[in-house]
Short mmCIF file of all heavy atoms in Angstrom, two decimals:
data_model
loop_
_atom_site.label_atom_id
_atom_site.label_comp_id
_atom_site.label_asym_id
_atom_site.label_seq_id
_atom_site.Cartn_x
_atom_site.Cartn_y
_atom_site.Cartn_z
N MET I 4 -10.54 8.94 -20.55
CA MET I 4 -10.65 8.41 -19.22
C MET I 4 -11.97 7.63 -19.17
O MET I 4 -12.98 8.08 -19.66
CB MET I 4 -10.66 9.52 -18.20
CG MET I 4 -10.68 9.05 -16.81
SD MET I 4 -9.98 10.35 -15.80
CE MET I 4 -10.99 10.38 -14.42
N ALA I 5 -11.91 6.48 -18.60
CA ALA I 5 -13.09 5.62 -18.55
C ALA I 5 -14.08 6.11 -17.49
O ALA I 5 -13.70 6.67 -16.47
CB ALA I 5 -12.67 4.16 -18.21
N VAL I 6 -15.33 5.85 -17.73
CA VAL I 6 -16.34 6.20 -16.77
C VAL I 6 -16.74 4.94 -16.06
O VAL I 6 -17.08 3.93 -16.66
CB VAL I 6 -17.60 6.81 -17.47
CG1 VAL I 6 -18.70 7.09 -16.49
CG2 VAL I 6 -17.20 8.08 -18.19
N PHE I 7 -16.65 4.97 -14.71
CA PHE I 7 -16.93 3.78 -13.94
C PHE I 7 -18.38 3.85 -13.47
O PHE I 7 -18.74 4.74 -12.71
CB PHE I 7 -16.01 3.70 -12.71
CG PHE I 7 -14.58 3.55 -13.10
CD1 PHE I 7 -13.77 4.65 -13.21
CD2 PHE I 7 -14.03 2.30 -13.32
CE1 PHE I 7 -12.42 4.49 -13.58
CE2 PHE I 7 -12.74 2.11 -13.65
CZ PHE I 7 -11.94 3.22 -13.82
N THR I 8 -19.17 2.91 -13.93
CA THR I 8 -20.52 2.83 -13.48
C THR I 8 -20.75 1.44 -12.93
O THR I 8 -20.24 0.47 -13.43
CB THR I 8 -21.56 3.10 -14.61
OG1 THR I 8 -21.27 2.22 -15.68
CG2 THR I 8 -21.44 4.51 -15.12
N ALA I 9 -21.51 1.40 -11.86
CA ALA I 9 -21.79 0.12 -11.24
C ALA I 9 -23.33 -0.05 -11.20
O ALA I 9 -24.02 0.97 -11.30
CB ALA I 9 -21.23 0.09 -9.82
N PRO I 10 -23.76 -1.24 -11.07
CA PRO I 10 -25.21 -1.43 -11.01
C PRO I 10 -25.81 -0.64 -9.83
O PRO I 10 -25.29 -0.66 -8.74
CB PRO I 10 -25.41 -2.91 -10.81
CG PRO I 10 -24.08 -3.53 -11.07
CD PRO I 10 -23.07 -2.47 -10.98
N ARG I 11 -26.87 0.08 -10.11
CA ARG I 11 -27.51 0.87 -9.07
C ARG I 11 -28.88 0.30 -8.80
O ARG I 11 -29.50 -0.31 -9.67
CB ARG I 11 -27.64 2.34 -9.52
CG ARG I 11 -26.38 3.09 -9.75
CD ARG I 11 -25.67 3.30 -8.43
NE ARG I 11 -24.55 4.19 -8.58
CZ ARG I 11 -24.33 5.23 -7.81
NH1 ARG I 11 -25.11 5.53 -6.83
NH2 ARG I 11 -23.27 5.97 -8.01
N PRO I 12 -29.39 0.52 -7.62
CA PRO I 12 -30.73 0.01 -7.33
C PRO I 12 -31.79 0.71 -8.16
O PRO I 12 -31.65 1.87 -8.51
CB PRO I 12 -30.94 0.34 -5.83
CG PRO I 12 -29.95 1.41 -5.54
CD PRO I 12 -28.81 1.23 -6.48
N VAL I 13 -32.81 -0.02 -8.48
CA VAL I 13 -33.92 0.51 -9.30
C VAL I 13 -34.78 1.37 -8.38
O VAL I 13 -35.16 0.95 -7.30
CB VAL I 13 -34.74 -0.62 -9.92
CG1 VAL I 13 -35.93 -0.05 -10.69
CG2 VAL I 13 -33.85 -1.47 -10.83
N ILE I 14 -35.06 2.59 -8.81
CA ILE I 14 -35.94 3.43 -8.05
C ILE I 14 -37.31 3.47 -8.68
O ILE I 14 -37.60 2.69 -9.60
CB ILE I 14 -35.35 4.87 -7.90
CG1 ILE I 14 -35.07 5.47 -9.30
CG2 ILE I 14 -34.06 4.86 -7.11
CD1 ILE I 14 -34.63 6.93 -9.22
N ALA I 15 -38.16 4.30 -8.27
CA ALA I 15 -39.56 4.39 -8.71
C ALA I 15 -39.69 4.37 -10.22
O ALA I 15 -38.93 5.04 -10.94
CB ALA I 15 -40.24 5.60 -8.14
N LYS I 16 -40.62 3.62 -10.74
CA LYS I 16 -41.00 3.55 -12.15
C LYS I 16 -39.86 3.06 -13.07
O LYS I 16 -39.70 3.53 -14.19
CB LYS I 16 -41.53 4.90 -12.63
CG LYS I 16 -42.79 5.33 -11.95
CD LYS I 16 -43.35 6.58 -12.51
CE LYS I 16 -44.63 6.99 -11.74
NZ LYS I 16 -45.15 8.22 -12.25
N GLY I 17 -39.02 2.15 -12.56
CA GLY I 17 -38.01 1.55 -13.41
C GLY I 17 -36.82 2.36 -13.78
O GLY I 17 -36.01 1.97 -14.61
N LYS I 18 -36.64 3.56 -13.20
CA LYS I 18 -35.49 4.36 -13.52
C LYS I 18 -34.31 3.99 -12.60
O LYS I 18 -34.50 3.50 -11.47
CB LYS I 18 -35.81 5.84 -13.29
CG LYS I 18 -36.83 6.41 -14.24
CD LYS I 18 -37.01 7.90 -14.04
CE LYS I 18 -38.03 8.44 -15.02
NZ LYS I 18 -38.24 9.87 -14.85
N THR I 19 -33.13 4.17 -13.12
CA THR I 19 -31.96 3.91 -12.32
C THR I 19 -31.08 5.18 -12.24
O THR I 19 -31.28 6.10 -13.03
CB THR I 19 -31.10 2.77 -12.91
OG1 THR I 19 -30.70 3.16 -14.21
CG2 THR I 19 -31.84 1.46 -12.96
N TYR I 20 -30.16 5.18 -11.32
CA TYR I 20 -29.26 6.33 -11.24
C TYR I 20 -28.32 6.27 -12.41
O TYR I 20 -27.88 5.20 -12.83
CB TYR I 20 -28.41 6.23 -9.93
CG TYR I 20 -29.22 6.36 -8.68
CD1 TYR I 20 -29.49 5.25 -7.87
CD2 TYR I 20 -29.68 7.59 -8.26
CE1 TYR I 20 -30.17 5.41 -6.71
CE2 TYR I 20 -30.39 7.74 -7.09
CZ TYR I 20 -30.62 6.65 -6.29
OH TYR I 20 -31.34 6.79 -5.15
N SER I 21 -27.99 7.42 -12.98
CA SER I 21 -27.07 7.44 -14.10
C SER I 21 -25.73 8.06 -13.73
O SER I 21 -24.81 8.05 -14.53
CB SER I 21 -27.69 8.24 -15.25
OG SER I 21 -27.91 9.56 -14.83
N LYS I 22 -25.61 8.58 -12.51
CA LYS I 22 -24.37 9.19 -12.07
C LYS I 22 -23.29 8.12 -11.82
O LYS I 22 -23.54 7.16 -11.11
CB LYS I 22 -24.61 10.02 -10.81
CG LYS I 22 -23.41 10.75 -10.34
CD LYS I 22 -23.74 11.57 -9.09
CE LYS I 22 -22.53 12.27 -8.56
NZ LYS I 22 -22.81 13.00 -7.32
N PRO I 23 -22.10 8.24 -12.44
CA PRO I 23 -21.08 7.26 -12.22
C PRO I 23 -20.50 7.31 -10.78
O PRO I 23 -20.47 8.40 -10.17
CB PRO I 23 -19.98 7.65 -13.22
CG PRO I 23 -20.19 9.05 -13.51
CD PRO I 23 -21.67 9.27 -13.33
N ARG I 24 -20.08 6.20 -10.29
CA ARG I 24 -19.48 6.14 -8.96
C ARG I 24 -18.06 6.63 -9.00
O ARG I 24 -17.35 6.44 -10.00
CB ARG I 24 -19.52 4.72 -8.43
CG ARG I 24 -20.91 4.26 -8.08
CD ARG I 24 -20.79 2.86 -7.47
NE ARG I 24 -22.13 2.42 -7.15
CZ ARG I 24 -22.42 1.73 -6.06
NH1 ARG I 24 -21.47 1.40 -5.24
NH2 ARG I 24 -23.64 1.37 -5.81
N ASN I 25 -17.61 7.20 -7.90
CA ASN I 25 -16.24 7.65 -7.76
C ASN I 25 -15.39 6.40 -7.50
O ASN I 25 -15.55 5.75 -6.46
CB ASN I 25 -16.12 8.64 -6.65
CG ASN I 25 -14.75 9.24 -6.51
OD1 ASN I 25 -13.80 8.73 -7.12
ND2 ASN I 25 -14.62 10.28 -5.72
N PRO I 26 -14.45 6.04 -8.39
CA PRO I 26 -13.66 4.83 -8.22
C PRO I 26 -12.64 4.93 -7.08
O PRO I 26 -12.11 3.90 -6.66
CB PRO I 26 -12.92 4.68 -9.54
CG PRO I 26 -12.82 6.05 -10.07
CD PRO I 26 -14.08 6.74 -9.60
N LEU I 27 -12.40 6.08 -6.53
CA LEU I 27 -11.43 6.23 -5.44
C LEU I 27 -12.01 6.09 -4.06
O LEU I 27 -11.30 5.95 -3.09
CB LEU I 27 -10.74 7.59 -5.56
CG LEU I 27 -10.08 7.89 -6.92
CD1 LEU I 27 -9.50 9.29 -6.94
CD2 LEU I 27 -8.98 6.84 -7.20
N VAL I 28 -13.34 6.15 -3.97
CA VAL I 28 -13.97 6.11 -2.65
C VAL I 28 -13.92 4.71 -2.05
O VAL I 28 -13.55 4.54 -0.90
CB VAL I 28 -15.44 6.61 -2.74
CG1 VAL I 28 -16.17 6.36 -1.46
CG2 VAL I 28 -15.46 8.08 -3.07
N ALA I 29 -14.28 3.69 -2.80
CA ALA I 29 -14.35 2.35 -2.26
C ALA I 29 -13.02 1.85 -1.68
O ALA I 29 -12.98 1.41 -0.53
CB ALA I 29 -14.86 1.38 -3.31
N PRO I 30 -11.91 1.98 -2.39
CA PRO I 30 -10.63 1.56 -1.77
C PRO I 30 -10.25 2.35 -0.54
O PRO I 30 -9.68 1.85 0.37
CB PRO I 30 -9.61 1.75 -2.87
CG PRO I 30 -10.35 1.85 -4.15
CD PRO I 30 -11.70 2.37 -3.77
N SER I 31 -10.60 3.64 -0.55
CA SER I 31 -10.21 4.50 0.59
C SER I 31 -10.96 4.11 1.84
O SER I 31 -10.47 4.33 2.95
CB SER I 31 -10.40 5.95 0.27
OG SER I 31 -11.79 6.23 0.16
N LEU I 32 -12.15 3.54 1.70
CA LEU I 32 -12.92 3.16 2.88
C LEU I 32 -12.33 1.97 3.56
O LEU I 32 -12.56 1.75 4.78
CB LEU I 32 -14.37 2.85 2.46
CG LEU I 32 -15.19 4.02 1.96
CD1 LEU I 32 -16.55 3.53 1.51
CD2 LEU I 32 -15.35 5.09 3.02
N PHE I 33 -11.53 1.17 2.89
CA PHE I 33 -10.92 -0.02 3.48
C PHE I 33 -9.56 0.21 4.06
O PHE I 33 -8.99 -0.64 4.73
CB PHE I 33 -10.85 -1.15 2.43
CG PHE I 33 -12.20 -1.64 2.03
CD1 PHE I 33 -12.70 -1.31 0.78
CD2 PHE I 33 -12.97 -2.40 2.87
CE1 PHE I 33 -13.95 -1.74 0.37
CE2 PHE I 33 -14.26 -2.82 2.49
CZ PHE I 33 -14.72 -2.51 1.24
N ARG I 34 -8.94 1.38 3.78
CA ARG I 34 -7.63 1.67 4.29
C ARG I 34 -7.68 2.04 5.75
O ARG I 34 -8.68 2.62 6.25
CB ARG I 34 -7.02 2.83 3.50
CG ARG I 34 -6.70 2.45 2.06
CD ARG I 34 -5.88 3.54 1.42
NE ARG I 34 -5.80 3.29 0.02
CZ ARG I 34 -6.30 4.07 -0.96
NH1 ARG I 34 -6.80 5.22 -0.59
NH2 ARG I 34 -6.19 3.74 -2.19
N ARG I 35 -6.57 1.76 6.45
CA ARG I 35 -6.44 2.16 7.84
C ARG I 35 -5.28 3.11 7.98
O ARG I 35 -4.22 2.89 7.41
CB ARG I 35 -6.20 0.93 8.72
CG ARG I 35 -7.33 -0.09 8.69
CD ARG I 35 -8.48 0.42 9.53
NE ARG I 35 -9.58 -0.53 9.54
CZ ARG I 35 -10.78 -0.27 9.03
NH1 ARG I 35 -10.98 0.88 8.46
NH2 ARG I 35 -11.71 -1.16 9.06
N ALA I 36 -5.49 4.16 8.73
CA ALA I 36 -4.43 5.13 8.97
C ALA I 36 -3.47 4.56 10.00
O ALA I 36 -3.88 3.80 10.87
CB ALA I 36 -5.02 6.44 9.44
N GLY I 37 -2.21 4.97 9.92
CA GLY I 37 -1.23 4.52 10.90
C GLY I 37 0.08 5.19 10.64
O GLY I 37 0.22 5.99 9.72
N SER I 38 1.04 4.80 11.48
CA SER I 38 2.35 5.41 11.34
C SER I 38 3.05 4.87 10.10
O SER I 38 2.85 3.71 9.72
CB SER I 38 3.19 5.16 12.58
OG SER I 38 3.40 3.76 12.73
N HIS I 39 3.93 5.69 9.56
CA HIS I 39 4.69 5.30 8.38
C HIS I 39 6.16 5.29 8.69
O HIS I 39 6.91 6.19 8.39
CB HIS I 39 4.42 6.25 7.20
CG HIS I 39 3.00 6.28 6.75
ND1 HIS I 39 2.50 5.34 5.86
CD2 HIS I 39 1.95 7.06 7.09
CE1 HIS I 39 1.23 5.60 5.67
NE2 HIS I 39 0.87 6.62 6.39
N GLY I 40 6.57 4.26 9.40
CA GLY I 40 7.98 4.17 9.77
C GLY I 40 8.23 4.67 11.19
O GLY I 40 7.31 4.97 11.92
N SER I 41 9.49 4.70 11.57
CA SER I 41 9.86 5.07 12.93
C SER I 41 9.68 6.61 13.11
O SER I 41 9.88 7.35 12.16
CB SER I 41 11.27 4.67 13.19
OG SER I 41 12.17 5.29 12.32
N PRO I 42 9.42 7.02 14.33
CA PRO I 42 9.22 8.44 14.57
C PRO I 42 10.53 9.21 14.40
O PRO I 42 11.60 8.77 14.83
CB PRO I 42 8.75 8.52 16.00
CG PRO I 42 9.05 7.20 16.60
CD PRO I 42 9.17 6.22 15.51
N VAL I 43 10.43 10.38 13.77
CA VAL I 43 11.61 11.17 13.45
C VAL I 43 12.10 11.86 14.72
O VAL I 43 13.27 12.10 14.89
CB VAL I 43 11.26 12.19 12.36
CG1 VAL I 43 12.45 13.10 12.07
CG2 VAL I 43 10.82 11.47 11.12
N GLN I 44 11.18 12.19 15.62
CA GLN I 44 11.54 12.92 16.81
C GLN I 44 12.55 12.14 17.64
O GLN I 44 13.51 12.71 18.16
CB GLN I 44 10.29 13.21 17.65
CG GLN I 44 10.57 14.03 18.90
CD GLN I 44 9.31 14.29 19.73
OE1 GLN I 44 8.29 13.72 19.44
NE2 GLN I 44 9.40 15.12 20.70
N GLY I 45 12.37 10.85 17.81
CA GLY I 45 13.29 10.03 18.60
C GLY I 45 14.66 10.01 17.99
O GLY I 45 15.68 10.07 18.69
N GLN I 46 14.71 9.93 16.64
CA GLN I 46 16.02 9.90 15.97
C GLN I 46 16.72 11.22 16.13
O GLN I 46 17.93 11.27 16.34
CB GLN I 46 15.80 9.61 14.48
CG GLN I 46 15.31 8.24 14.19
CD GLN I 46 14.96 8.04 12.73
OE1 GLN I 46 14.91 8.99 11.95
NE2 GLN I 46 14.70 6.81 12.32
N ARG I 47 15.98 12.31 16.07
CA ARG I 47 16.55 13.65 16.20
C ARG I 47 17.14 13.81 17.60
O ARG I 47 18.23 14.34 17.77
CB ARG I 47 15.46 14.69 15.91
CG ARG I 47 16.06 16.06 15.74
CD ARG I 47 14.97 17.14 15.41
NE ARG I 47 13.91 16.68 14.55
CZ ARG I 47 12.63 16.66 14.87
NH1 ARG I 47 12.20 17.09 16.04
NH2 ARG I 47 11.74 16.22 14.00
N GLN I 48 16.39 13.40 18.59
CA GLN I 48 16.88 13.53 19.99
C GLN I 48 18.14 12.69 20.19
O GLN I 48 19.10 13.11 20.85
CB GLN I 48 15.80 13.09 20.97
CG GLN I 48 14.66 14.05 21.12
CD GLN I 48 13.58 13.54 22.00
OE1 GLN I 48 13.65 12.41 22.48
NE2 GLN I 48 12.57 14.36 22.26
N GLN I 49 18.13 11.51 19.64
CA GLN I 49 19.28 10.61 19.77
C GLN I 49 20.55 11.20 19.13
O GLN I 49 21.61 11.16 19.73
CB GLN I 49 18.95 9.23 19.18
CG GLN I 49 19.89 8.15 19.58
CD GLN I 49 19.39 6.79 19.09
OE1 GLN I 49 18.64 6.74 18.09
NE2 GLN I 49 19.82 5.73 19.72
N THR I 50 20.39 11.74 17.94
CA THR I 50 21.56 12.34 17.30
C THR I 50 22.02 13.57 18.02
O THR I 50 23.23 13.85 18.08
CB THR I 50 21.26 12.67 15.83
OG1 THR I 50 20.09 13.48 15.75
CG2 THR I 50 21.07 11.45 15.00
N LYS I 51 21.09 14.34 18.61
CA LYS I 51 21.48 15.50 19.40
C LYS I 51 22.31 15.10 20.59
O LYS I 51 23.32 15.71 20.91
CB LYS I 51 20.21 16.24 19.90
CG LYS I 51 19.99 17.61 19.37
CD LYS I 51 18.76 18.19 19.97
CE LYS I 51 18.53 19.60 19.55
NZ LYS I 51 17.30 20.14 20.10
N GLN I 52 21.88 14.05 21.30
CA GLN I 52 22.60 13.55 22.47
C GLN I 52 23.99 13.07 22.06
O GLN I 52 24.98 13.33 22.77
CB GLN I 52 21.80 12.45 23.16
CG GLN I 52 20.57 12.90 23.85
CD GLN I 52 19.76 11.77 24.40
OE1 GLN I 52 20.02 10.58 24.13
NE2 GLN I 52 18.70 12.07 25.14
N LEU I 53 24.08 12.36 20.96
CA LEU I 53 25.30 11.82 20.48
C LEU I 53 26.29 12.95 20.14
O LEU I 53 27.49 12.92 20.52
CB LEU I 53 25.12 10.93 19.30
CG LEU I 53 26.34 10.23 18.73
CD1 LEU I 53 26.99 9.31 19.76
CD2 LEU I 53 25.99 9.43 17.48
N LEU I 54 25.81 13.99 19.46
CA LEU I 54 26.61 15.14 19.14
C LEU I 54 27.12 15.84 20.38
O LEU I 54 28.30 16.22 20.49
CB LEU I 54 25.83 16.12 18.24
CG LEU I 54 26.53 17.42 17.85
CD1 LEU I 54 27.75 17.08 17.01
CD2 LEU I 54 25.58 18.31 17.14
N ARG I 55 26.23 16.03 21.36
CA ARG I 55 26.62 16.68 22.62
C ARG I 55 27.70 15.87 23.30
O ARG I 55 28.70 16.45 23.80
CB ARG I 55 25.36 16.80 23.50
CG ARG I 55 25.50 17.90 24.56
CD ARG I 55 24.23 18.10 25.34
NE ARG I 55 23.04 18.24 24.50
CZ ARG I 55 21.91 17.58 24.69
NH1 ARG I 55 21.79 16.70 25.67
NH2 ARG I 55 20.89 17.76 23.90
N PHE I 56 27.54 14.57 23.33
CA PHE I 56 28.51 13.69 23.99
C PHE I 56 29.89 13.77 23.27
O PHE I 56 30.93 13.89 23.91
CB PHE I 56 28.01 12.22 23.96
CG PHE I 56 28.98 11.23 24.49
CD1 PHE I 56 29.23 11.13 25.83
CD2 PHE I 56 29.69 10.39 23.64
CE1 PHE I 56 30.13 10.22 26.33
CE2 PHE I 56 30.59 9.46 24.09
CZ PHE I 56 30.82 9.37 25.50
N GLU I 57 29.87 13.76 21.95
CA GLU I 57 31.12 13.82 21.18
C GLU I 57 31.82 15.19 21.38
O GLU I 57 33.04 15.24 21.47
CB GLU I 57 30.86 13.56 19.71
CG GLU I 57 30.53 12.13 19.42
CD GLU I 57 30.22 11.84 17.94
OE1 GLU I 57 30.28 12.81 17.15
OE2 GLU I 57 29.96 10.68 17.62
N LEU I 58 31.01 16.25 21.47
CA LEU I 58 31.61 17.58 21.70
C LEU I 58 32.24 17.65 23.07
O LEU I 58 33.34 18.26 23.23
CB LEU I 58 30.56 18.68 21.52
CG LEU I 58 30.13 18.95 20.09
CD1 LEU I 58 28.98 19.94 20.09
CD2 LEU I 58 31.30 19.49 19.25
N LYS I 59 31.61 17.01 24.08
CA LYS I 59 32.18 17.00 25.41
C LYS I 59 33.51 16.21 25.40
O LYS I 59 34.49 16.62 26.01
CB LYS I 59 31.24 16.35 26.41
CG LYS I 59 30.16 17.27 26.91
CD LYS I 59 29.31 16.55 27.95
CE LYS I 59 28.15 17.40 28.37
NZ LYS I 59 27.30 16.74 29.40
N GLN I 60 33.49 15.09 24.69
CA GLN I 60 34.70 14.26 24.62
C GLN I 60 35.83 15.04 23.93
O GLN I 60 36.99 15.00 24.35
CB GLN I 60 34.45 12.94 23.87
CG GLN I 60 33.50 12.02 24.57
CD GLN I 60 34.07 11.40 25.83
OE1 GLN I 60 35.15 11.79 26.29
NE2 GLN I 60 33.37 10.47 26.38
N LEU I 61 35.50 15.74 22.87
CA LEU I 61 36.48 16.52 22.14
C LEU I 61 37.04 17.63 23.00
O LEU I 61 38.26 17.87 23.08
CB LEU I 61 35.83 17.10 20.86
CG LEU I 61 36.78 17.90 19.93
CD1 LEU I 61 37.90 17.00 19.42
CD2 LEU I 61 36.00 18.48 18.80
N ALA I 62 36.16 18.37 23.73
CA ALA I 62 36.59 19.43 24.58
C ALA I 62 37.48 18.88 25.73
O ALA I 62 38.49 19.48 26.09
CB ALA I 62 35.41 20.17 25.17
N LYS I 63 37.11 17.75 26.22
CA LYS I 63 37.87 17.11 27.32
C LYS I 63 39.26 16.73 26.82
O LYS I 63 40.27 16.93 27.51
CB LYS I 63 37.14 15.87 27.82
CG LYS I 63 37.71 15.24 29.04
CD LYS I 63 36.83 14.11 29.49
CE LYS I 63 37.37 13.44 30.73
NZ LYS I 63 36.56 12.31 31.16
N SER I 64 39.37 16.15 25.61
CA SER I 64 40.68 15.74 25.07
C SER I 64 41.56 16.96 24.77
O SER I 64 42.76 16.93 24.93
CB SER I 64 40.48 14.87 23.83
OG SER I 64 40.00 15.65 22.78
N ILE I 65 40.93 18.05 24.34
CA ILE I 65 41.70 19.30 24.09
C ILE I 65 42.20 19.87 25.42
O ILE I 65 43.37 20.31 25.51
CB ILE I 65 40.84 20.33 23.33
CG1 ILE I 65 40.57 19.83 21.91
CG2 ILE I 65 41.49 21.72 23.31
CD1 ILE I 65 39.63 20.71 21.13
N ASP I 66 41.37 19.83 26.46
CA ASP I 66 41.78 20.36 27.78
C ASP I 66 42.89 19.53 28.37
O ASP I 66 43.82 20.01 29.01
CB ASP I 66 40.60 20.43 28.73
CG ASP I 66 39.61 21.53 28.38
OD1 ASP I 66 39.99 22.44 27.63
OD2 ASP I 66 38.43 21.46 28.82
N ASP I 67 42.82 18.20 28.21
CA ASP I 67 43.81 17.29 28.76
C ASP I 67 45.15 17.46 28.09
O ASP I 67 46.19 17.48 28.74
CB ASP I 67 43.36 15.82 28.63
CG ASP I 67 42.22 15.52 29.58
OD1 ASP I 67 41.97 16.30 30.51
OD2 ASP I 67 41.56 14.44 29.36
N ASN I 68 45.16 17.62 26.78
CA ASN I 68 46.42 17.78 26.04
C ASN I 68 46.97 19.19 26.16
O ASN I 68 48.19 19.37 26.23
CB ASN I 68 46.24 17.42 24.56
CG ASN I 68 45.90 15.98 24.39
OD1 ASN I 68 46.23 15.14 25.20
ND2 ASN I 68 45.24 15.67 23.24
N GLY I 69 46.08 20.16 26.19
CA GLY I 69 46.46 21.56 26.36
C GLY I 69 47.51 22.05 25.37
O GLY I 69 48.20 21.28 24.76
N PRO I 70 47.68 23.38 25.31
CA PRO I 70 48.70 23.92 24.38
C PRO I 70 50.05 23.91 25.01
O PRO I 70 50.32 23.78 26.11
CB PRO I 70 48.21 25.35 24.16
CG PRO I 70 47.22 25.69 25.18
CD PRO I 70 46.76 24.38 25.76
#
């Protein structure tokens, strides 16, 4: 695995930092959080309503035809 080092500022008496930088930090600072697609809750509610409606229609058709 490669060690990522970037130029570091010179500190007292000409020494520099020797610790490598974390390569995952810089890209993560530029990312923005947000939603990832449509909300699942709305889809779930919609399918529940549709199922309820279809069950009512089925019960109604069974009652209308009767045994």
Side-chain angles (χ1 to χ4, degrees):
M4 185 156 140
V6 176
F7 296 93
T8 55
R11 295 291 189 132
V13 177
I14 56 173
K16 296 185 181 180
K18 294 184 179 180
T19 60
Y20 294 107
S21 61
K22 183 178 177 183
R24 289 184 180 218
N25 185 347
L27 303 177
V28 171
S31 68
L32 294 176
F33 294 106
R34 292 190 191 117
R35 298 284 180 244
S38 63
H39 297 276
S41 61
V43 178
Q44 182 181 10
Q46 293 173 350
R47 194 179 320 123
Q48 288 176 355
Q49 195 173 24
T50 53
K51 243 181 177 178
Q52 289 174 352
L53 183 62
L54 177 63
R55 203 175 310 131
F56 176 75
E57 289 178 0
L58 287 173
K59 279 184 185 180
Q60 294 290 9
L61 182 62
K63 189 177 180 182
S64 69
I65 291 173
D66 289 341
D67 289 344
N68 294 336

